[in-house]
Amino acid sequence: MAQTQADDFQQTPTRLYSLDALRGFDMFWIMGADALFQSLHEAVPGSGILKVIADQLEHPLWNGFHFYDLIFPLFLFMAGVSTPFSVGRELEKGKTRSQLLLRVIKRGLILVILGLIANNGLQLKPLADIRFPSVLGRIGIAYMFANIIYLYSKEVAQMAWFWALLIGYWLLLKFTSAPGFHPGDLTPEGNFASYIDRTILPGHLYVPFPDGRPNMHDPEGLFSTIPAISTGLLGILTGITLKKHNLTQIQKTGRMAIVGVIFIILALIWNFDFPINKNLWTSSFVLLVGGISLLLMSLFYYVIDVLGHQKWAFFFRVIGMNSILIYMSGKFIRWEYTVNGFFKWLVQWAGDPWGAVVFAICLLLIKWLFLHFMYKKKVFLRV
């Protein structure tokens, strides 16, 4: 595939500034911005705008969509966007598919291992106490399979895989269920994906049954990773578009934006039959978050790479260049201790309820300064 697509590619930078900035914007929300806006809402309870923002920074209980649901799939989408600039570049340099296949599998497995550490820490635990599904684990598995499809198929076939996985997953959940439930049951107890997870996965799942029994459902379960592969593939197809020289930058921006709007409309229509649900990573959810991801990518790409306005995005780029590091750092660094060590006086001076707001701001500041130091030293955690 690399040979047939190489003629359509131009000499592009190995990293898109807009992609790093968007990745940083994504990570910004889970490295402390969510806590900042939640504390602001508590400090100013009468503000309707802050209440809306605070609500959007929490996951719905089951069906539905909030902004917070976008963070995880947007990161996976961007991992896909980077593929043509990394794996594709190595193909163009003459690396064989077999060599790159090993690299892709290795990266996927490393992410799965990091996910295990993020969930369970480094101490040994009984098997029953280990949670195997994880955010990084899903990214690793979906990234791996999406990249394998990229390595061994052409662009049209990648599009076919994208839709086949979504439609196949929809049909599976529509005509199956857990034992004792009617076909197409999409409740936490009755859906087929959760049933498969609790049947085959060792350890424990994230969500218990309503009666207190463990292991009902896991939002990062194995079976619902199937449609997540399509999220990665959409990112890869977007990266391929961004590398093509037969499209102008404006055409690339427009194509991403138009497809993004179409996907959102299709998602809202599909929602009537297959509800938008992050817990199950439903096909309608893939289209919705894919559409929003495309709109954000087109906006960041247009403003940063087309118009050249980069300075404002430096704050986010510093985060985006070390996204895995800041995600994993909380397992090894007690960031709240650093805030108490340096800014406890400021938090106390602010008093209640504004002390929580000041604490959240200081936490964000310390994390960003840490990432900025690593950025200046050119130290990046790459998988």
Side-chain angles (χ1 to χ4, degrees), residues 27-273:
M27 293 301 299
F28 169 71
W29 294 98
I30 60 173
M31 67 180 270
D34 55 347
L36 171 59
F37 280 96
Q38 294 289 356
S39 61
L40 277 170
H41 168 56
E42 293 173 6
V44 191
S47 172
I49 293 176
L50 288 175
K51 183 182 186 306
V52 169
I53 295 174
D55 289 343
Q56 287 297 312
L57 292 174
E58 293 181 350
H59 295 299
L61 291 177
W62 192 245
N63 291 333
F65 176 80
H66 288 172
F67 169 79
Y68 213 49
D69 296 336
L70 177 65
I71 294 171
F72 182 2
L74 177 58
F75 191 91
L76 176 54
F77 168 84
M78 288 184 288
V81 174
S82 67
T83 290
F85 294 90
S86 54
V87 176
R89 186 179 70 252
E90 294 302 314
L91 276 172
E92 294 162 17
K93 288 180 177 179
K95 288 278 185 71
T96 66
R97 289 179 175 83
S98 298
Q99 289 174 312
L100 293 171
L101 175 63
L102 291 175
R103 168 179 159 180
V104 164
I105 293 174
K106 177 183 175 182
R107 188 183 190 201
L109 292 177
I110 290 174
L111 286 169
V112 170
I113 292 170
L114 289 176
L116 281 170
I117 295 172
N119 278 355
N120 306 286
L122 292 173
Q123 71 270 30
L124 293 176
K125 295 182 178 180
L127 182 64
D129 294 336
I130 297 175
R131 181 181 171 224
F132 284 88
S134 67
V135 170
L136 290 180
R138 170 162 291 180
I139 291 172
I141 295 171
Y143 161 88
M144 181 176 66
F145 281 105
N147 273 257
I148 291 172
I149 293 171
Y150 170 77
L151 282 172
Y152 291 97
S153 65
K154 296 183 180 180
E155 186 177 353
V156 173
Q158 293 161 25
M159 294 179 186
W161 272 104
F162 172 83
W163 289 108
L165 290 168
L166 293 186
I167 294 171
Y169 184 70
W170 165 57
L171 292 174
L172 274 171
L173 265 64
K174 186 175 179 66
F175 295 106
T176 58
S177 68
F181 294 84
H182 64 82
D185 191 302
L186 296 178
T187 62
E189 302 98 324
N191 76 84
F192 184 68
S194 296
Y195 167 69
I196 292 297
D197 286 343
R198 58 181 177 257
T199 300
I200 67 173
L201 284 175
H204 76 90
L205 304 183
Y206 188 71
V207 182
F209 284 93
D211 61 8
R213 288 179 295 128
N215 303 337
M216 177 183 69
H217 166 76
D218 201 296
E220 283 82 53
L222 184 62
F223 197 84
S224 55
T225 300
I226 294 172
I229 299 170
S230 287
T231 301
L233 278 172
L234 180 60
I236 288 174
L237 290 164
T238 303
I240 290 172
T241 298
L242 288 169
K243 283 194 70 178
K244 287 183 175 179
H245 71 75
N246 58 343
L247 296 175
T248 67
Q249 289 181 315
I250 297 298
Q251 287 174 325
K252 294 172 186 177
T253 303
R255 181 173 292 191
M256 287 188 290
I258 291 170
V259 174
V261 171
I262 292 172
F263 273 21
I264 292 172
I265 294 171
L266 289 176
L268 296 176
I269 295 172
W270 209 344
N271 176 59
F272 289 105
D273 183 69

Side-chain angles (χ1 to χ4, degrees), residues 353-371:
W354 290 98
V357 177
V358 173
F359 183 92
I361 293 172
C362 292
L363 185 64
L364 267 172
L365 176 63
I366 286 176
K367 287 182 178 180
W368 189 86
L369 289 174
F370 166 73
L371 291 175

